[in-house]
Amino acid sequence: MAATFQRIFTAALLLLMCAAAPALSARRCADCGSSPVPYPLSTGPDCGDQSYKIRCTSTQLLFDTLNNSYPITSISPETQRLTIQPSPFLPNTCITQDISTIGVQLNSSLPFNITSSNTIVYLNCSETLLTSPLNCSSASLCHAYVNGSSSGNGGAVGACRSAPICCTFRAGGSSTSYMIRVRESGCRAYRSFVNLDSSLPVSRWPQPGLELQWVSPPEPVCTAQSDCDSDSTCTPDPNSNGGISRCFCHSGFHWDPIAALCAQDVTCEDSDGCGSDHTALIAGLTSGLGVAVIAVAIAVFVYRRHKRIKDAQDRLAREREDILSSGGVKNAKLFTGKEIRKATNNFSRDRLLGAGGYGEVYKGVLDDGTDVAVKCAKLGNTKGTDQVLNEVRILCQVNHKCLLRILGCCVELEQPLLVYEYVPNGTLSDHLQGPNRKLLTWDCRLSVAHATAEGLAYLHFSAVPPIYHRDVKSSNILLDERLNAKVSDFGLSRLAHADLSHVSTCAQGTLGYLDPEYYRNYQLTDKSDVYSFGVVLLELLTSQKAIDFDRAQDDVNLAVYVQRLVEEERIMDAVDPALKEGASSLQLETMKALGFLAVSCLEERRQNRPSMKEVAEEIEYIISIATAKA
């Protein structure tokens, strides 16, 4: 007990010393009236991070979009999120005031995006929305909102009740991360609700709000050492091409983007405590009987609480190991938390490969020099945790050269981690539409299509029970140094039931790739993957995005655009001009053949679509034609 008591007071003293003299590396902006402005948000040129600008008026904080401004109602620096107030209705109409600016449009080059915590209710919609992927059925949540709302809002509720078509969707997908569109040809009004519990009556719904999140800021920019504190050095940023310098923390410190300072690393590993002898301090504190009794009581309480937390963590780790073992993880390595932290340099930001709805992916290097990719679930995100555990169960059952290989996992830390083989050459999406894209030859594209089809066919026909991917898209197809394709990201996968169908409570996947039948009835089959793969084939053929608002309004959806060209017998107009340039007549014929195969995958009724095995065989036949000598 004495050793425990000494460790507790030593840790408390260290925390007090760290809190007493924080070393700030960045300046927080002054409060806007009664509203604090946490770092990195900036209301002026001399504070915050200039990439995170907001505005402070005499009465409130405002968030500027590309063509409008919205009041900020709350800010949470701990979760790096803020909430803005949606545009009000025009008087006596079911039309929001920002229809003139086509709704909320964020600048995708800035570090803000719309979160998936928003439930969007579209109101006063045109009939064209009935063919969209949104839920516009009579059971849509928007009807409950309109019918359950009390009269008010300047007559808007009554006007919305007279507009029969409304839709509901969850924001944060690929096409709604930066935009909530309202327009005359679509929906003319919207409401947004953060963390909505749809089981509650409308009278108990939260006030309308649109939640945005910001990316963790890098170290602050500097021009000289005088701009930095004593715990950091002004050095050129290796990730910048513009000669920018930043205040990088010294060894033994790390950048804390929430506190906006260089925080000291905790490296104490001495089981008997760190620091100098505090016997005199303890003797002084225990000199009085009353003080001694209180101190011992606190020490016992903290010790028992720490033990309960440790026992809970051990129990959680055991439960996760049992769950994973039931799915076959015994064939994969269980990494320790220490191994993972060392491999990723304690999850250093310069090792970050990317982030998504599930959490973040870091590059790691194991002790034997093997490069790996480490996927970690988002803290506190139960859905993310379930997705990671599900991916372990599924990936340990499959073994195919065209599927991303899992090496193991770690369940010791707060959230489970997955360890994959590292594929260094980026995604198919990067090569087709990325800013540094290089032209993929037609033979290479056919090879990628065939490998992807083979991998999906393996999941559908060789895995027992069959596995449906549920999120097939070009950004989930990785290319190695030889441009060989590997299908990745099984975070949304589910094991198919014996009746070869699976009904989910909500649509999952990515807009532009999802099967229209799945949008309507939420029934999952292997043909849902076939539809998504058909869109990938169109991307390979056209080098265009599945959803692109830079195209004409009726052609935003790539599948709809190409199907229209097919009906007009102009399918070759969709092919990437760089592919057609210098192509032989034989190659042009194979391009047309792949286009018709893609359209067959996009058939409205799933019974009319080919299976993935048939698709793979057809691509193999097209390749044999393409490689045949004239």
Side-chain angles (χ1 to χ4, degrees):
M1 179 60 72
T4 301
F5 183 79
Q6 183 177 359
R7 284 197 298 269
I8 292 169
F9 274 93
T10 300
L13 184 60
L14 287 172
L15 289 174
L16 287 172
M17 290 171 63
C18 292
L24 291 176
S25 291
R27 181 185 172 195
R28 185 179 79 84
C29 293
D31 294 351
C32 180
S34 60
S35 301
V37 182
Y39 190 85
L41 301 182
S42 171
T43 56
D46 300 323
C47 62
D49 188 310
Q50 296 305 299
S51 296
Y52 297 75
K53 290 182 180 179
I54 59 176
R55 281 195 296 126
C56 174
T57 67
S58 57
T59 57
Q60 62 185 160
L61 288 168
L62 295 177
F63 183 86
D64 293 329
T65 62
L66 285 174
N67 47 16
N68 213 335
S69 297
Y70 298 86
I72 297 175
T73 57
S74 67
I75 301 177
S76 173
E78 294 80 11
T79 59
Q80 300 183 171
R81 300 189 176 202
L82 59 85
T83 303
I84 62 175
Q85 180 179 317
S87 179
F89 290 96
L90 292 170
N92 299 311
T93 68
C94 188
I95 301 175
T96 47
Q97 291 181 6
D98 56 2
I99 192 171
S100 61
T101 55
I102 321 181
V104 180
Q105 297 191 64
L106 304 186
N107 187 341
S108 60
S109 65
L110 295 179
F112 294 95
N113 66 276
I114 299 170
T115 74
S116 59
S117 300
N118 297 287
T119 299
I120 308 298
V121 175
Y122 267 146
L123 306 168
N124 194 9
C125 301
S126 63
E127 291 185 359
T128 58
L129 267 292
L130 294 177
T131 60
S132 75
L134 307 183
N135 183 0
C136 305
S137 67
S138 59
S140 178
L141 192 63
C142 60
H143 293 288
Y145 169 69
V146 173
N147 296 328
S149 298
S150 58
S151 299
N153 288 318
V157 172
C160 290
R161 286 174 183 163
S162 64
I165 300 178
C166 64
C167 307
T168 308
F169 72 99
R170 195 70 173 267
S174 62
S175 65
T176 57
S177 291
Y178 303 100
M179 179 182 298
I180 304 295
R181 300 181 76 192
V182 287
R183 62 191 191 282
E184 288 293 337
S185 61
C187 297
R188 302 170 184 86
Y190 71 98
R191 296 286 87 179
S192 174
F193 301 92
V194 181
N195 296 322
L196 176 64
D197 182 353
S198 58
S199 64
L200 295 176
V202 176
S203 59
R204 294 179 59 189
W205 284 16
Q207 288 296 312
L210 183 65
E211 185 182 72
L212 311 179
Q213 65 184 357
W214 65 80
V215 178
S216 293
E219 290 82 353
V221 175
C222 60
T223 57
Q225 181 59 38
S226 57
D227 296 332
C228 305
D229 59 32
S230 59
D231 295 328
S232 59
T233 302
C234 184
T235 55
D237 185 353
N239 298 319
S240 170
N241 295 325
I244 295 176
S245 294
R246 297 184 181 277
C247 295
F248 289 103
C249 300
H250 293 162
S251 176
F253 292 83
H254 65 274
W255 169 243
D256 185 337
I258 296 178
L261 52 76
C262 287
Q264 188 169 9
D265 296 339
V266 178
T267 58
C268 175
E269 299 180 356
D270 186 354
S271 60
D272 294 326
C274 303
S276 58
D277 187 2
H278 296 290
T279 305
L281 175 60
I282 296 173
L285 291 174
T286 57
S287 58
L289 180 60
V291 176
V293 171
I294 294 174
V296 170
I298 293 174
V300 171
F301 171 78
V302 172
Y303 171 76
R304 289 181 175 176
R305 182 174 181 273
H306 173 75
K307 189 175 185 301
R308 284 197 302 271
I309 293 173
K310 185 66 168 61
D311 290 344
Q313 291 174 338
D314 292 342
R315 184 169 62 255
L316 180 62
R318 287 194 300 271
E319 290 173 354
R320 286 174 175 166
E321 287 178 354
D322 291 342
I323 293 173
L324 296 174
S325 296
S326 66
V329 80
K330 57 188 67 177
N331 294 326
K333 179 179 178 180
L334 287 175
F335 292 87
T336 66
K338 185 176 181 180
E339 286 178 299
I340 297 298
R341 290 186 183 279
K342 182 179 179 182
T344 60
N345 196 18
N346 200 22
F347 300 102
S348 173
R349 303 305 291 182
D350 60 7
R351 295 287 187 92
L352 184 64
L353 296 176
Y358 54 80
E360 298 176 324
V361 181
Y362 293 85
K363 180 181 179 181
V365 181
L366 301 180
D367 287 339
D368 62 1
T370 303
D371 289 337
V372 295
V374 178
K375 177 186 290 188
C376 49
K378 191 177 294 182
L379 284 175
N381 185 342
T382 304
K383 181 178 179 181
T385 302
D386 292 344
Q387 288 173 335
V388 173
L389 293 175
N390 181 58
E391 191 162 349
V392 173
R393 288 197 299 270
I394 292 176
L395 287 182
C396 286
Q397 301 177 56
V398 301
N399 181 22
H400 193 277
K401 66 179 181 178
C402 299
L403 298 175
L404 188 66
R405 186 165 58 96
I406 186 171
L407 304 179
C409 62
C410 172
V411 294
E412 287 185 4
L413 304 179
E414 295 164 305
Q415 298 290 345
L417 307 175
L418 285 176
V419 182
Y420 295 95
E421 63 174 319
Y422 175 68
V423 180
N425 211 7
T427 68
L428 176 60
S429 176
D430 296 333
H431 286 264
L432 291 177
Q433 299 123 13
N436 299 318
R437 61 183 179 272
K438 296 180 180 178
L439 179 65
L440 293 178
T441 65
W442 179 236
D443 289 343
C444 179
R445 298 187 192 210
L446 286 175
S447 174
V448 169
H450 184 250
T452 305
E454 287 283 342
L456 294 174
Y458 175 90
L459 293 176
H460 292 179
F461 294 97
S462 298
V464 180
I467 297 169
Y468 306 151
H469 188 291
R470 291 182 30 139
D471 198 21
V472 177
K473 56 184 177 181
S474 56
S475 59
N476 280 341
I477 299 172
L478 304 180
L479 302 181
D480 64 16
E481 60 278 357
R482 296 184 178 179
L483 298 179
N484 296 315
K486 289 181 180 288
V487 180
S488 72
D489 199 346
F490 292 78
L492 295 177
S493 297
R494 296 289 184 271
L495 292 177
H497 291 232
D499 61 358
L500 297 182
S501 68
H502 179 67
V503 177
S504 173
T505 57
C506 62
Q508 299 186 48
T510 303
L511 288 177
Y513 295 89
L514 263 176
D515 178 0
E517 287 203 2
Y518 186 34
Y519 274 120
R520 289 193 291 269
N521 55 33
Y522 305 123
Q523 187 176 37
L524 170 69
T525 71
D526 57 332
K527 297 300 180 69
S528 302
D529 284 352
V530 173
Y531 183 93
S532 302
F533 181 70
V535 179
V536 173
L537 289 181
L538 294 184
E539 290 184 90
L540 285 166
L541 199 64
T542 66
S543 299
Q544 297 190 42
K545 298 178 181 178
I547 295 289
D548 191 349
F549 291 100
D550 290 334
R551 289 195 290 264
Q553 182 175 322
D554 294 336
D555 298 334
V556 167
N557 187 300
L558 181 60
V560 174
Y561 167 55
V562 175
Q563 285 172 319
R564 178 176 63 80
L565 292 179
V566 170
E567 293 172 359
E568 298 172 358
E569 298 184 355
R570 295 192 299 125
I571 188 172
M572 292 305 291
D573 289 354
V575 177
D576 184 351
L579 284 179
K580 292 189 289 185
E581 183 178 352
S584 65
S585 59
L586 185 64
Q587 288 177 319
L588 292 175
E589 286 301 316
T590 58
M591 293 176 193
K592 185 182 293 186
L594 191 74
F596 285 125
L597 175 61
V599 172
S600 70
C601 294
L602 301 175
E603 284 284 348
E604 183 75 16
R605 295 178 60 82
R606 62 172 179 265
Q607 295 89 338
N608 296 335
R609 300 173 199 156
S611 68
M612 280 312 308
K613 184 179 292 185
E614 292 170 330
V615 172
E617 292 172 351
E618 181 66 20
I619 296 175
E620 187 174 3
Y621 175 69
I622 293 173
I623 290 175
S624 69
I625 295 176
T627 55
K629 294 183 179 179

